């Protein structure tokens, strides 16, 4: 799974997350909440996204993307993308006269939130088609939670909340 340098950075950042910060709003959706309207469907994931970004940013401050051959990487929105965007869009800064390039679209979603999992997988596939080299769906849950159907072009990364690390 970590054969791409960006994927290895994602895994490392996830494994560095602190549970108190990442799980501030709970680790699962009760069945009744998992069926709420789309506007509320990813509220609990927000603390995971912020903690992941924090750890990724610390690695960025230590020049980890540059050391792994990715050059300078930053998070920013995509002005050419549709209104709804994944949680984080990573770009490689242009160097030596080259323009900035889309690198990866990343979403973090609880496996106990099946409607959001399906929506994010579909969204990530669209962003892969927009020109992002990688589309990564971080599936947060227990090892016993069922995996969603594979989505072409989207790399699943499974984060086990019981072991508090990336698995498989």
């Amino acid at each position: 799974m970590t054969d791409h340098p960006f994927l290895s950075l994602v895994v490392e950042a996830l494994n560095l997350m602190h549970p108190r910060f990442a799980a501030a709003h709970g680790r699962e959706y009760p069945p009744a909440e998992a069926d709420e309207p789309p506007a509320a469907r990813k509220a609990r994931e927000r603390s995971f996204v912020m903690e992941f970004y924090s750890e990724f940013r610390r690695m960025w401050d230590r020049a980890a993307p540059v050391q792994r051959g990715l050059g300078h990487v930053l998070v920013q929105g995509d002005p050419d993308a549709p209104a709804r965007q994944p949680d984080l869009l990573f770009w490689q800064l242009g160097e030596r006269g080259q323009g900035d390039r889309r690198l990866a679209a990343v979403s973090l979603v609880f496996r106990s939130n099946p409607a959001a999992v399906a929506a994010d997988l579909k969204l990530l596939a669209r962003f892969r088609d927009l020109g992002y080299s990688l589309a990564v769906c971080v599936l947060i849950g227990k090892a016993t939670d069922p995996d969603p159907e594979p989505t072409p072009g989207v790399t699943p990364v499974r984060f086990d909340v019981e072991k508090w690390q990336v698995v498989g």
Side-chain angles (χ1 to χ4, degrees):
M1 168 183 31
T2 59
D3 54 346
H4 191 283
F6 182 80
L7 289 175
S8 68
L9 287 173
V10 167
V11 169
E12 189 173 335
L14 288 166
N15 287 337
L16 289 171
M17 292 189 319
H18 192 284
R20 282 294 285 169
F21 296 114
H25 299 292
R27 298 179 183 164
E28 311 183 359
Y29 283 83
E33 277 188 47
D35 295 329
E36 286 186 0
R41 90 173 155 234
K42 285 189 63 172
R44 292 177 185 254
E45 285 88 345
R46 187 171 295 129
S47 58
F48 267 81
V49 172
M50 292 186 323
E51 177 64 2
F52 169 76
Y53 174 79
S54 175
E55 293 302 335
F56 192 93
R57 178 61 200 235
R58 285 181 2 152
M59 293 168 53
W60 181 86
D61 287 342
R62 295 190 311 252
V66 174
Q67 293 167 0
R68 295 181 192 191
L70 292 170
H72 295 282
V73 173
L74 61 88
V75 175
Q76 68 181 22
D78 190 329
D80 299 326
R84 184 166 178 265
Q85 298 188 12
D87 294 318
L88 299 166
L89 296 174
F90 290 86
W91 290 68
Q92 290 176 299
L93 289 180
E95 297 178 25
R96 297 179 188 85
Q98 295 180 341
D100 296 348
R101 295 178 308 279
R102 293 172 172 97
L103 174 60
V106 178
S107 282
L108 290 86
V109 63
F110 281 110
R111 292 164 104 179
S112 61
N113 194 353
V117 170
D120 278 7
L121 288 170
K122 185 177 178 180
L123 180 67
L124 287 165
R126 281 200 338 242
F127 273 75
R128 172 82 174 171
D129 293 343
L130 277 174
Y132 285 85
S133 302
L134 295 165
V136 181
C137 187
V138 178
L139 299 163
I140 305 161
K142 299 174 184 164
T144 57
D145 291 337
D147 280 333
E149 289 293 318
T151 301
V154 178
T155 302
V157 174
R158 291 161 191 85
F159 186 83
D160 186 332
V161 295
E162 294 173 324
K163 293 182 180 179
W164 204 257
Q165 66 183 18
V166 172
V167 295

